[in-house]
Amino acid sequence: MRYIIIGAGAVGGAIGGRLAEAGHEVALVARGAHYEALRTHGLRLMTSEGTRTHRLPTVDGPAALGELRPDDVLVLAVKTQDSEAALEAWGPAPVAGGGTAAEQLPLVCAQNGVESPRIALRRFRRVYGVCVWLPATLVEPGAVSAAGAPLTGILHLGRHPHGTDETARRIAADLEKAHFEAPVVPDVARWQYAKLLGNLANAIEAVSGVLTSGEGLALFARVRAEGEAVLTAADIAYTGEEEQKRVRDNKIRFEPFDGSERGGGSSWQSLDRGTGTIEADYLNGEIVLLGRLHGVPTPLNELLQRLANTFARERRAAGSLPVAELVRLADEAVAFVQEERAPRP
């Protein structure tokens, strides 16, 4: 199978680079300065083993690849806010032998959050969800750091909305030859919702920096508790922390190639690069949406969604809001909701 990585940034670049190292045929899809760097200099993949450069076919859209092949696998690795445009571009692409990509090819959503597989299922017949557990950073255009060791990442994989099949098992086998663990599970959404709860911290990191202080960690605990209450009200199952620990313990250590400390997550990276967009609507915003649907107040996640979007839109510096100020705003948001919901005399 040939893997077409739609969005060869941090996660997509790490997956594509590792698959290429394992001998699989890979094509990268990118845009802007990253596209130009990949086309000119190749993909520089940095791991604890060192830096390798992979000269892979790189395009900015389906037309540049020509007719797709029946054995192609599309790996969607853009941020969720960019999914609709990517699917609109790739869905109608013709496949050799007849039909379109949306009709004939498997689409693997290797993204944070839970919304992209739903968006994809409106267009593509065969959609696969992935719970992405993969520390990776787009260091600069053309260069990706994947600092996990001894495994590069753990990628739970399954059909969306549920089930498994031979295609999932073949993809998983290829990933497992490429420094990943890729369990094929019939309930991948359960893992994705568990990851969503962890990703609620992304907005905190984005606006106030990496979570190291007691204040920041305490705030995240409150934000996560809000998310758990919403999932319970919505009767949505998610993997518990003990099960996650059993599956992941000691399999991934953070070992950057240059000895640096861990940086911010994907949302922090979006602000740091000044992209103008951020994925908060599909992380904290998912909890806000479910809270409104099921009558559960979500003031903390609403605050973080609003702040993250403001920082992205106004291109404010990542991590520039002091944690103490963020906690103050959070306390005010909770107090406002409590007052609003209090019985009136």
Side-chain angles (χ1 to χ4, degrees):
M1 298 186 290
R2 177 176 64 170
Y3 290 88
I4 299 173
I5 311 295
I6 304 171
V11 168
I15 293 174
R18 282 304 207 183
L19 283 169
E21 288 176 0
H24 298 290
E25 192 174 356
V26 174
L28 306 178
V29 183
R31 60 188 179 181
H34 189 47
Y35 163 75
E36 296 296 339
L38 291 172
R39 289 266 294 182
T40 305
H41 304 293
L43 170 66
R44 283 191 296 131
L45 181 62
M46 308 170 189
T47 72
S48 59
E49 303 154 26
T51 301
R52 282 90 58 210
T53 298
H54 302 288
R55 302 252 177 205
L56 303 172
T58 302
V59 300
D60 58 1
L65 274 181
E67 199 172 44
L68 300 179
R69 301 180 343 206
D71 66 341
D72 283 337
V73 175
L74 305 182
V75 179
L76 187 66
V78 300
K79 298 287 175 56
T80 302
Q81 63 267 28
D82 297 320
S83 289
E84 187 66 50
L87 294 168
E88 184 178 356
W90 285 87
V95 177
T100 65
E103 295 167 333
Q104 302 293 336
L105 301 183
L107 178 82
V108 179
C109 297
Q111 300 160 284
N112 283 335
V114 296
E115 183 63 16
S116 266
R118 280 191 78 244
I119 297 172
L121 206 59
R122 295 177 187 273
R123 298 176 184 270
F124 281 75
R125 289 178 179 169
R126 297 161 61 199
V127 176
Y128 298 79
V130 178
C131 177
V132 179
W133 195 263
L134 168 56
T137 304
L138 180 62
V139 178
E140 62 184 17
V144 169
S145 169
L151 291 174
T152 299
I154 300 177
L155 307 173
H156 283 77
L157 171 70
R159 286 290 295 260
H160 178 79
H162 48 73
T164 64
D165 61 17
E166 184 58 28
T167 298
R169 287 185 283 273
R170 289 179 63 198
I171 294 169
D174 288 349
L175 289 169
E176 296 209 336
K177 295 172 185 172
H179 290 267
F180 296 99
E181 186 170 291
V184 177
V185 294
D187 54 353
V188 68
R190 194 168 66 97
W191 290 89
Q192 291 174 307
Y193 275 104
K195 177 75 184 314
L196 172 67
L197 290 174
N199 284 144
L200 299 180
N202 286 25
I204 302 176
E205 283 194 334
V207 302
S208 292
V210 177
L211 281 174
T212 55
S213 71
E215 273 187 307
L217 291 169
L219 175 59
F220 170 54
R222 295 165 64 193
V223 171
R224 182 188 172 98
E226 203 174 82
E228 290 175 345
V230 164
L231 294 186
T232 298
D235 197 25
I236 293 174
Y238 59 93
T239 311
E241 292 188 66
E242 282 301 315
E243 184 177 355
Q244 293 181 68
K245 186 177 180 182
R246 285 198 306 272
V247 170
R248 294 176 175 141
D249 246 10
N250 301 316
K251 293 180 180 178
I252 302 178
R253 299 184 304 274
F254 184 74
E255 294 185 2
F257 76 104
D258 59 356
S260 61
E261 296 294 317
R262 185 182 80 84
S266 56
S267 298
W268 186 94
Q269 293 175 44
S270 292
L271 291 186
D272 191 51
R273 296 199 305 274
T275 62
T277 65
I278 199 165
E279 58 192 339
D281 286 345
Y282 302 99
L283 301 178
N284 306 91
E286 181 70 25
I287 297 301
V288 171
L289 170 62
L290 289 171
R292 290 170 180 168
L293 289 173
H294 296 277
V296 179
T298 57
L300 297 176
N301 281 281
E302 285 184 42
L303 171 68
L304 290 171
Q305 179 186 10
R306 183 172 66 252
L307 284 174
N309 279 316
T310 299
F311 268 57
R313 184 174 59 252
E314 298 179 359
R315 289 176 166 77
R316 297 189 194 177
S320 58
L321 181 68
V323 174
E325 176 64 9
L326 178 58
V327 172
R328 184 188 69 78
L329 292 172
D331 290 341
E332 286 183 356
V334 170
F336 178 80
V337 169
Q338 289 173 340
E339 181 179 346
E340 196 176 49
R341 292 169 63 89
R344 301 296 180 189

